[in-house]
């Protein structure tokens, strides 16, 4: 069946599905699927100071990053709000990262401003390299990932297709939502701090040195009271029209949060990740655009 493309949003230009999203999700869950993420932005960083430099700029411990090991990291502002989400790997000579396409230029500008006298070189490689979600069971950051030169993409995808099923963004997003992994431009808004969204001890390393925004992360962690929390919503599937990204969530007549991502999961049905106020009881039934939703607590810490 021919591919259906994503027409808008952060994944615009990617493949949404191939006509059988439930079958694609099942193949992905079994580790027997791959996906083309060529719409993602790709940046390369070379130079002997690259890992210590990135270690200082992000929330992740990168000084001794092992070759071929993918990790994720955040860039925060001085108040501790999440600005960017990066997925990184080092090959021994170059650190590669992929991110939301619309954020690529902003990240390049920021990194180039922060070079000072260090030996690092930052380049946009989006036109030369593609990211693939490689075959295998999903890991903690949504991989395994493969970085492939675009002039080798046809050969690589043909090799994958010999023994694996190509899937679209629908399947990847359904897996992500069910796993409770927050994503930039979806669950992250202008007020988001890492403590609210399950990033601690994952993309935020809790035992590393100083980085921008660390004071807020540490303070809220020690107090244990972030203002909001991420929950998995199980939506009433009897409704024809489902809420969309950004839709407001209510408890009775009071606005208590918003939906970040919504997916139709092959086992769980319609589900969503929502950011809600911490004082909302977990057993409370919420409502969004006329659709009722039961909450499920996520193991975020």
């Amino acid at each position: 069946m021919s591919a259906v493309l994503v027409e808008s949003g952060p994944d615009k230009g990617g493949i949404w599905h191939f006509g059988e999203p439930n079958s694609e999700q099942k193949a992905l869950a079994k580790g027997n699927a791959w996906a083309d993420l060529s719409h993602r932005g790709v940046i390369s960083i070379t130079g002997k100071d690259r890992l210590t430099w990135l270690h200082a700029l992000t929330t992740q411990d990168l000084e001794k990053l092992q070759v071929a090991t993918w990790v994720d990291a955040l860039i925060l502002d001085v108040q501790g709000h999440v600005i960017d989400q990066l997925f990184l790997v080092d090959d021994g000579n170059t650190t590669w990262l992929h991110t939301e396409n619309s954020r690529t230029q902003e990240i390049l500008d920021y990194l180039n401003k922060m070079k000072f006298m260090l030996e690092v070189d930052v380049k946009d490689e989006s036109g030369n390299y593609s990211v693939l979600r490689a075959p295998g069971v999903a890991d903690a950051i949504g991989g395994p990932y493969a970085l492939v030169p675009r002039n080798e993409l046809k050969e690589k995808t043909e090799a994958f297709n010999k023994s694996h099923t190509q899937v679209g963004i629908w399947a990847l997003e359904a897996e992500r939502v069910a796993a409770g992994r927050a994503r930039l431009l979806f669950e992250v808004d202008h007020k988001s701090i890492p403590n609210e969204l399950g990033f601690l001890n994952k993309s935020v390393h809790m035992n590393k040195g100083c980085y921008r925004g660390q004071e807020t992360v540490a303070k809220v962690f020690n107090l244990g009271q972030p203002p909001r929390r991420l929950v998995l919503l199980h939506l009433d599937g009897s409704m024809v029209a489902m809420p969309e990204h950004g839709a407001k969530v209510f408890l009775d007549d009071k606005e208590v949060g918003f939906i970040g991502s919504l997916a139709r999961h092959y086992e769980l049905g319609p589900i969503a990740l929502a950011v809600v106020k911490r004082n909302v009881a977990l057993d409370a039934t919420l409502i969004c655009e006329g659709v009722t939703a039961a909450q499920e607590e996520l193991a975020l810490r």
Side-chain angles (χ1 to χ4, degrees):
M1 181 137 341
S2 60
V4 176
L5 300 181
V6 180
E7 296 182 355
S8 61
D11 293 312
K12 182 179 179 179
I15 296 170
W16 184 225
H17 62 78
F18 290 89
E20 298 183 354
N22 283 351
S23 296
E24 292 174 35
Q25 290 183 55
K26 291 175 184 178
L28 185 68
K30 292 177 181 179
N32 191 35
W34 71 277
D36 189 343
L37 301 178
S38 294
H39 59 285
R40 300 276 291 173
V42 177
I43 294 173
S44 69
I45 303 168
T46 54
K48 65 181 181 65
D49 297 322
R50 66 188 184 281
L51 290 177
T52 53
W53 180 63
L54 288 167
H55 177 89
L57 294 178
T58 72
T59 58
Q60 188 59 271
D61 186 349
L62 298 173
E63 284 187 311
K64 297 180 181 179
L65 179 63
Q66 297 296 308
V67 170
T69 299
W70 282 93
V71 297
D72 60 342
L74 305 175
I75 296 175
L76 309 181
D77 67 14
V78 292
Q79 288 82 32
H81 300 127
V82 179
I83 298 176
D84 282 300
Q85 182 180 34
L86 316 174
F87 298 85
L88 307 99
V89 69
D90 194 85
D91 63 12
N93 296 302
T94 303
T95 300
W96 301 88
L97 66 88
H98 72 83
T99 189
E100 305 290 350
N101 183 59
S102 64
R103 293 297 304 166
T104 304
Q105 189 59 53
E106 295 283 345
I107 294 170
L108 285 165
D109 291 345
Y110 172 69
L111 293 178
N112 278 313
K113 284 195 302 185
M114 301 302 292
K115 288 195 297 186
F116 303 114
M117 300 298 292
L118 297 175
E119 191 175 314
V120 290
D121 186 41
V122 183
K123 292 182 180 179
D124 183 357
E125 294 284 3
S126 305
N128 299 319
Y129 285 83
S130 289
V131 179
L132 303 180
R133 185 354 182 122
V137 175
D139 59 26
I141 62 173
Y145 295 115
L147 190 68
V148 182
R150 286 187 181 264
N151 59 10
E152 299 176 11
L153 188 58
K154 186 175 184 292
E155 179 182 355
K156 175 62 74 172
T157 57
E158 288 176 349
F160 280 171
N161 277 330
K162 288 181 179 179
S163 54
H164 300 92
T165 300
Q166 184 176 2
V167 303
I169 303 299
W170 181 323
L172 296 181
E173 285 292 275
E175 185 278 324
R176 179 182 68 82
V177 172
R181 294 195 308 273
R183 179 179 170 186
L184 192 78
L185 307 182
F186 288 85
E187 287 68 50
V188 177
D189 66 7
H190 67 285
K191 299 188 294 184
S192 295
I193 60 174
N195 312 62
E196 299 174 323
L197 300 176
F199 290 132
L200 302 191
N201 293 312
K202 297 173 185 176
S203 47
V204 177
H205 195 285
M206 299 303 292
N207 297 315
K208 64 165 283 186
C210 185
Y211 55 88
R212 191 174 69 175
Q214 183 188 31
E215 184 177 352
T216 296
V217 174
K219 181 178 179 180
V220 176
F221 175 77
N222 291 327
L223 293 176
Q225 294 294 325
R228 303 179 298 179
R229 55 184 165 84
L230 185 70
V231 295
L232 179 65
L233 297 184
H234 295 267
L235 296 110
D236 177 4
S238 64
M239 302 291 289
V240 175
M242 289 287 114
E244 297 183 355
H245 164 69
K248 296 177 180 179
V249 175
F250 292 85
L251 175 59
D252 298 325
D253 295 326
K254 183 178 180 182
E255 183 182 338
V256 295
F258 69 91
I259 283 183
S261 305
L262 186 138
R264 291 186 181 272
H265 192 272
Y266 76 103
E267 287 185 328
L268 301 176
I271 55 176
L273 288 177
V275 180
V276 300
K277 293 181 179 179
R278 174 155 293 277
N279 60 4
V280 174
L282 274 168
D283 59 357
T285 298
L286 305 180
I287 189 164
C288 181
E289 296 185 349
V291 179
T292 57
Q295 302 174 75
E296 180 180 336
E297 186 175 16
L298 295 167
L300 299 181
R301 186 170 161 177

